[in-house]
Amino acid sequence: MAARQDLAAEFMQIVDSLTMSVILDRERMRPLSYLTPGKDAPMTDKLPGTQMFQKETLQDVREELGDCRRCSLCEKRKNLVFGEGSDHAEVVFVGEAPGADEDLQGRPFVGRAGQLLTKIIEAMGFSRADVYICNILKCRPPGNRNPLPEEIQLCEPFLVRQLEAIAPKAICALGTFAAHTLLKNDVPITVLRGRFHDYHGIPLMPTYHPAYLLRNPSAKKQVWEDVQQIMKRLDKGADA
Ligand code: URA
């Protein structure tokens, strides 16, 4: 009887693992990659009966993105902004899309809002190099307009893969747009912020965008409370 239960549990594990692979492949637009040889093929030297995959690195993702021309944002961009920071970051900050400064430099969050984000990161006891900073979109929408659904659809799979490669302990979604895109809802940021949400098993804390803080400095207190919760999760003492 016990052996039968073990077998059933093992079978369910395999089903769960395959289901996850299919979901991830769909998001990466690489259907059934686990059936093809190459770096996504099952590693047969691992546990028999479980699907194990060699993990993609950030560099793999960057290479596949290449000189991206998947949507029309490529026509006006000066530089693609992939993201920067540690491959092993404990926390990843996700913003909306590059602005003019980021487009010029090819780096995320380097303008005025970026300088404020850097201060927040340092107040958490990190440097920018310790964490990872990226955006939902990798190219600047003209005039900083809101990203379009088709742009998100084409760009988000690369963000998903970056997050998978890093496997952070926490994600901080900066602003309404990042929170809505990652959590697939449209609940106001005022309601979403202040508590963790689940992002494919990773705790995700939505908070206000640093650009909003530049216009509304009184909201800094709430952002500090939100990032302190992240620090607690990471076991990093928070000296307010
Ligand atoms: N705002 C964002 O959302 N991302 C950046 O990189 C810069 C400003």
Side-chain angles (χ1 to χ4, degrees):
M1 189 65 182
R4 231 167 134 173
Q5 277 170 351
D6 284 352
L7 213 61
E10 194 177 335
F11 177 73
M12 286 317 295
Q13 247 180 5
I14 294 168
V15 171
D16 283 348
S17 170
L18 273 172
T19 306
M20 195 44 138
S21 302
V22 171
I23 291 169
L24 287 174
D25 271 358
R26 206 176 287 150
E27 288 186 352
R28 295 161 157 191
M29 295 185 292
R30 292 191 305 180
L32 307 184
S33 68
Y34 53 92
L35 293 179
T36 58
K39 64 174 179 286
D40 290 323
M43 290 162 64
T44 45
D45 56 336
K46 296 284 164 101
L47 290 178
T50 46
Q51 294 279 340
M52 301 290 284
F53 301 90
Q54 222 170 52
K55 240 175 85 163
E56 231 181 6
T57 64
L58 281 177
Q59 200 183 334
D60 293 331
V61 183
R62 181 67 192 89
E63 276 168 20
E64 194 173 319
L65 187 61
D67 178 35
C68 183
R69 314 207 73 77
R70 291 169 181 83
C71 82
S72 63
L73 292 182
C74 67
E75 287 159 19
K76 295 227 164 87
R77 75 163 180 240
K78 293 194 173 65
N79 287 291
L80 184 152
V81 180
F82 182 66
E84 69 179 24
S86 167
D87 291 21
H88 309 290
E90 287 188 303
V91 54
V92 175
F93 293 85
V94 183
E96 178 174 329
D101 295 304
E102 291 75 21
D103 181 50
L104 263 181
Q105 295 188 38
R107 297 178 56 208
F109 281 98
V110 288
R112 275 186 73 219
Q115 284 160 21
L116 183 50
L117 177 63
T118 304
K119 279 191 190 158
I120 295 168
I121 289 167
E122 287 171 357
M124 292 172 76
F126 291 114
S127 70
R128 277 178 70 111
D130 293 327
V131 301
Y132 196 81
I133 307 172
C134 55
N135 284 299
I136 300 288
L137 290 192
K138 307 226 172 322
C139 297
R140 182 189 182 206
N144 295 345
R145 66 153 169 76
N146 282 344
L148 301 174
E150 56 268 31
E151 292 162 356
I152 299 167
Q153 200 192 349
L154 289 165
C155 213
E156 194 186 2
F158 292 94
L159 172 63
V160 171
R161 288 163 64 180
Q162 282 170 288
L163 292 169
E164 263 188 285
I166 298 168
K169 289 188 186 152
I171 296 170
C172 184
L174 299 166
T176 299
F177 189 81
H180 287 179
T181 304
L182 292 171
L183 295 174
K184 307 285 175 228
N185 68 32
D186 57 3
V187 178
I189 187 76
T190 47
V191 175
L192 290 173
R193 62 149 291 275
R195 67 195 161 87
F196 283 106
H197 301 257
D198 179 67
Y199 179 81
H200 303 280
I202 302 171
L204 182 148
M205 174 65 74
T207 196
Y208 295 125
H209 194 286
Y212 174 79
L213 295 184
L214 291 174
R215 300 189 299 273
N216 302 277
S218 62
K220 284 182 188 171
K221 183 174 173 287
Q222 287 161 301
V223 170
W224 180 238
E225 286 165 7
D226 298 343
V227 298
Q228 274 183 311
Q229 287 200 53
I230 298 177
M231 289 150 71
K232 243 195 208 151
R233 269 286 160 122
L234 304 179
D235 251 352
K236 241 173 130 51
D239 301 323

